Amino acid sequence: MNYFLRKIKCFSIREKTFNTWLIGGFFSAATGIAAFNFIVNPFNVFPVKPIAGYTDVHFIENVRIYKNFLVKNRSIDGLMLGSSRIEESMNPLPAAWPGMQVYNMAMPGVSLHEMLRNLQHANAVTPLKQGLIGLDFFMFSAFMGTVEDFSEDYFAVDPAGNKKPDIYVLRTYANLLFSADVLEKSRSTIKDSKKHSAPSHEDNGMTALAPHNAVVKDNAAIYKIFDSFANNYFRKNSFWLNGPNATYTTVKNAEGESTYADYRALLDYVYRNNLDIRFVISPIHVHMLLGLDGIGLWPAFLDWKKQLALINEQVAAYYHQPPKPVWDFALVNDLTTEWLPEDPRLPAPKNGLQWFWDPAHAKPAFGDLIQKHIFIDGTEDTGKILRASTIENHLQQQTAALKDYAEKDPVTRDAIQKRLESLNTWRWIK
């Protein structure tokens, strides 16, 4: 009997030892993973200095974690918001942001509501001295989808603007320290750093130049990109024609709720907090403007610009403030009608484009001009301020300018029309 008791006792001791080692091993592994992810810091969220050649190249896919927490960790008092059109074109111009810490917080596929949340977050962390907000036609589509990587966990304030307890970051920190996906991201960060690969973003938040230049490495690549944008924007269920029966609408439901309410909410926050903000409609190439007209959305595009001006002045009047400038750079002018690199009208083929990465995204050279106009000299040539008193004349002038361009460039006009016919787009316009 004593023999069996001793055996049971011995087995119990060994089992306890095994459990201790098992638990200890688990916590050691978890601690090791957390320490590794913290040091490598693949999303650049933690206040850790990068190690040259090991952790200094960050290729960020989830920009919403990256940018919201970077703003939290820096004293950013100059802010840029918007979609990829701002992210890819706006390199903060020092003369436009004197003495400020400026950050390009623009994100691909951003919605009006998300921009409001980003603005609330940044202004709560560090009071803003100046801001630029990009507005896009597709943002106002009632059927624009929600991006997968959006989360309320990233914001320092709740939707009502109330500051969250400082521990709001713990959930995200835990995910970034212990996640297996982040562990893989840490490994790829080290790999990219050892190769001295190009990062995805500049330190100021703008999309990095090197990857862009690699994409448009030659003229053939540029033509291919222009072709792909026609597919992505002009056919049914695309960025523009994404409503029922491939239409565009700002009305969300049968009750008549509109995306313009989200615009009003954004304006309300800006005026209520008396923020120095300039709004910008980013430039797009004339190929996009001709396509917009060809699929029947030109009247909706013009009405959208009109509503931007009218609602802005309504909210300004409510707060007894002068209207914040709403600049329109999506115009027909010498820059947006830039010839493609092998256009037969050129004396000789050129390499690349000066003003555009692709038909929907301007280059930083154009972004510099925009910042110069809206922050420094106020010149209205490549861009115009939308005002209720002059909006009708402005829209009529742009309609005439597009028609005039189509008549003077029948080759481009016919090429766009041929593409629309090949996509059967005409069948979906009402």
Side-chain angles (χ1 to χ4, degrees):
M1 185 69 175
N2 290 336
Y3 170 79
F4 287 108
L5 290 174
R6 285 198 302 271
K7 283 290 185 181
I8 293 172
K9 184 176 181 181
C10 182
F11 176 78
S12 178
I13 292 172
R14 286 200 300 268
E15 185 179 24
K16 289 180 180 178
T17 303
F18 172 77
N19 289 339
T20 300
W21 278 100
L22 181 64
I23 294 171
F26 171 79
F27 280 106
S28 295
T31 301
I33 291 172
F36 181 68
N37 286 336
F38 180 82
I39 293 170
V40 178
N41 196 18
F43 289 99
N44 207 22
V45 164
F46 304 111
V48 179
K49 288 186 178 181
I51 303 171
Y54 290 93
T55 66
D56 58 337
V57 173
H58 296 100
F59 195 88
I60 306 298
E61 294 165 348
N62 190 325
V63 294
R64 283 159 174 82
I65 293 178
Y66 169 61
K67 291 195 171 184
N68 274 287
F69 279 82
L70 188 145
V71 165
K72 177 185 178 299
N73 294 331
R74 291 188 187 178
S75 298
I76 302 298
D77 54 8
L79 193 71
M80 297 176 172
L81 294 173
S83 69
S84 58
R85 287 185 171 86
I86 298 297
E87 187 181 38
E88 297 182 17
S89 67
M90 290 295 173
N91 189 9
L93 197 64
W97 308 81
M100 289 178 243
Q101 295 293 318
V102 192
Y103 192 68
N104 186 329
M105 200 184 178
M107 303 172 181
V110 72
S111 67
L112 291 162
H113 173 71
E114 185 177 6
M115 282 201 299
L116 171 57
R117 298 294 288 119
N118 289 336
L119 182 61
Q120 289 175 312
H121 169 75
N123 194 44
V125 172
T126 304
L128 296 173
K129 294 179 180 177
Q130 185 172 280
L132 178 154
I133 297 179
L135 301 172
D136 289 322
F137 186 53
F138 73 83
M139 284 179 186
F140 286 73
S141 168
F143 295 91
M144 178 182 174
T146 303
V147 292
E148 293 181 358
D149 54 349
F150 173 81
S151 174
E152 285 287 343
D153 293 340
Y154 307 152
F155 302 118
V157 292
D158 64 22
N162 301 312
K163 194 167 183 179
K164 297 179 183 176
D166 290 337
I167 60 172
Y168 83 92
V169 299
L170 294 182
R171 179 176 178 178
T172 300
Y173 282 170
N175 289 336
L176 293 176
L177 288 174
F178 297 104
S179 167
D181 290 338
V182 178
L183 179 62
E184 182 58 35
K185 191 68 180 174
S186 293
R187 291 175 58 189
S188 64
T189 297
I190 293 175
K191 183 179 179 181
D192 289 339
S193 297
K194 286 183 176 180
K195 287 182 176 180
H196 302 287
S197 303
S200 60
H201 291 77
E202 306 291 346
D203 189 56
N204 58 30
M206 186 183 74
T207 305
L209 298 177
H212 261 312
N213 288 323
V215 171
V216 293
K217 59 184 178 180
D218 53 37
N219 290 344
I222 292 174
Y223 278 89
K224 186 176 181 179
I225 289 172
F226 266 69
D227 191 57
S228 69
F229 268 77
N231 287 336
N232 290 331
Y233 278 84
F234 300 159
R235 63 182 173 188
K236 66 173 184 174
N237 302 321
S238 61
F239 288 107
W240 287 334
L241 300 175
N242 59 4
N245 297 319
T247 56
Y248 176 93
T249 181
T250 60
V251 180
K252 295 180 179 181
N253 50 42
E255 288 69 38
E257 289 183 272
S258 169
T259 53
Y260 288 118
D262 298 323
Y263 176 53
R264 283 184 181 274
L266 179 62
L267 290 170
D268 183 79
Y269 183 83
V270 168
Y271 283 101
R272 181 161 31 90
N273 290 277
N274 200 23
L275 299 179
D276 183 7
I277 298 288
R278 324 294 163 92
F279 293 92
V280 172
I281 301 173
S282 297
I284 55 178
H285 195 271
V286 72
H287 279 218
M288 298 291 282
L289 296 174
L290 286 171
L292 192 76
D293 184 39
I295 63 177
L297 285 182
W298 186 254
F301 187 57
L302 297 184
D303 185 66
W304 169 67
K305 291 184 179 183
K306 180 178 180 179
Q307 296 306 317
L308 294 185
L310 296 178
I311 295 172
N312 176 49
E313 294 191 15
Q314 289 169 8
V315 179
Y318 178 83
Y319 283 97
H320 306 288
Q321 296 179 29
K324 310 292 182 184
V326 179
W327 284 81
D328 180 11
F329 287 91
L331 307 178
V332 180
N333 56 39
D334 291 342
L335 276 63
T336 59
T337 57
E338 177 182 10
W339 291 339
L340 295 187
E342 297 178 8
D343 191 290
R345 290 167 292 184
L346 289 167
K350 60 180 181 177
N351 294 318
L353 293 171
Q354 179 180 1
W355 302 112
F356 288 90
W357 294 114
D358 55 58
H361 298 87
K363 284 186 172 182
F366 209 144
D368 288 349
L369 284 178
I370 291 173
Q371 292 177 76
K372 181 174 178 289
H373 288 328
I374 68 175
F375 289 120
I376 300 174
D377 60 30
T379 304
E380 296 185 57
D381 45 23
T382 54
K384 298 288 185 181
I385 297 177
L386 299 181
R387 302 176 177 89
S389 60
T390 58
I391 188 65
E392 293 295 347
N393 288 338
H394 172 66
L395 300 181
Q396 290 172 14
Q397 186 276 330
Q398 279 301 294
T399 299
L402 187 66
K403 182 179 179 181
D404 183 61
Y405 180 83
E407 291 175 352
K408 291 181 178 178
D409 186 3
V411 173
T412 300
R413 177 199 66 204
D414 294 345
I416 295 294
Q417 185 60 35
K418 185 177 180 180
R419 169 48 58 88
L420 297 178
E421 291 173 357
S422 72
L423 296 172
N424 290 329
T425 304
W426 60 273
R427 297 184 181 182
W428 303 96
I429 303 303
K430 295 182 179 180

